[in-house]
Amino acid sequence: MPKVAVYNITGAQTGEVELNDNVFGVEVNVPVMHQAVVMQLANQRQGTHATKTRGLVRGGGKKPWKQKGTGRARAGSIRSPLWVGGGTVFGPQPRSHAIAMPRKARRLALKSALSDKVNNGELLVVDAISFEQPKTKAVVKMLADFNAAEQKALIITEGDETVEKSARNIPGVKAIASSGLNVYDLLYHDKVFITKGAVTKIEEVLA
């Protein structure tokens, strides 16, 4: 089982903790992590893009000129895609971009991302992260104590709304609940700060 140091909120080491090998010590599977990131980004797309076909463009109900005898090419509508101001051929239409991924693959991707952070020394376990009230400078001070002020940081708690509000105004810093853990956030951020309580909850779900 991988052992990592446990720190308090000021950056001082207070002990060690053994992480579950089935969650934080698996073989890193890069293709599955890539698939999970593609799925997550695709599922965020609204899919409301739309263009007008010749049937949706206003006007064009009357035939511009008669079929024969003018010497000109046949034309049935001034809203033909061949005309300026006409409809669009094969343009984007509203649709879902959602991608499905097997549950076991999603779990493996999460485990791989967590294990990768442990292997690279980018996962820091903290006793507890909590503030009396939402204060941006409280998070800034915590990151400075860990020498991570210039890095992108992800803070994972058991679901502390005060911490999430304190971190949301800092560029490159994000705080989430352990229930909202995802591969994209883990890979995007340079440092991951996770509370002992969140570690327990994650191990209960993924182990």
Side-chain angles (χ1 to χ4, degrees), residues 4-94:
V4 295
V6 178
Y7 302 90
N8 60 22
I9 201 169
T10 62
Q13 186 173 342
T14 58
E16 285 187 334
V17 65
E18 279 193 356
L19 301 175
N20 193 314
D21 227 7
N22 294 326
V23 179
F24 296 92
V26 303
E27 184 180 347
V28 178
N29 191 320
V30 176
V32 171
M33 288 195 297
H34 174 263
Q35 188 181 351
V37 170
V38 170
M39 177 196 73
Q40 189 173 338
L41 295 179
N43 292 353
Q44 288 176 0
R45 296 182 65 178
Q46 287 185 316
T48 53
H49 41 41
T51 53
K52 290 184 178 182
T53 63
R54 63 185 294 162
L56 297 174
V57 179
R58 187 169 184 269
K62 180 186 176 184
K63 188 173 174 65
W65 50 76
K66 64 181 184 176
Q67 182 81 347
K68 292 177 176 291
T70 64
R72 287 194 263 188
R74 294 171 293 188
S77 169
I78 63 171
R79 297 306 179 216
S80 162
L82 304 178
W83 289 50
V84 174
T88 301
V89 182
F90 303 133
Q93 295 297 320

Side-chain angles (χ1 to χ4, degrees), residues 152-206:
K152 296 191 292 286
L154 178 66
I155 302 170
I156 305 170
T157 65
E158 297 96 307
D160 193 325
E161 193 176 335
T162 306
V163 177
E164 292 177 22
K165 287 182 177 178
S166 300
R168 67 186 176 186
N169 285 335
I170 309 172
V173 178
K174 186 176 183 180
I176 61 173
S178 57
S179 58
L181 188 65
N182 62 86
V183 177
Y184 178 81
D185 281 338
L186 285 171
L187 297 180
Y188 176 77
H189 294 91
D190 303 316
K191 291 285 184 183
V192 177
F193 297 89
I194 184 169
T195 62
K196 287 180 72 175
V199 169
T200 303
K201 285 193 172 184
I202 291 169
E203 288 180 344
E204 285 175 0
V205 175
L206 296 178

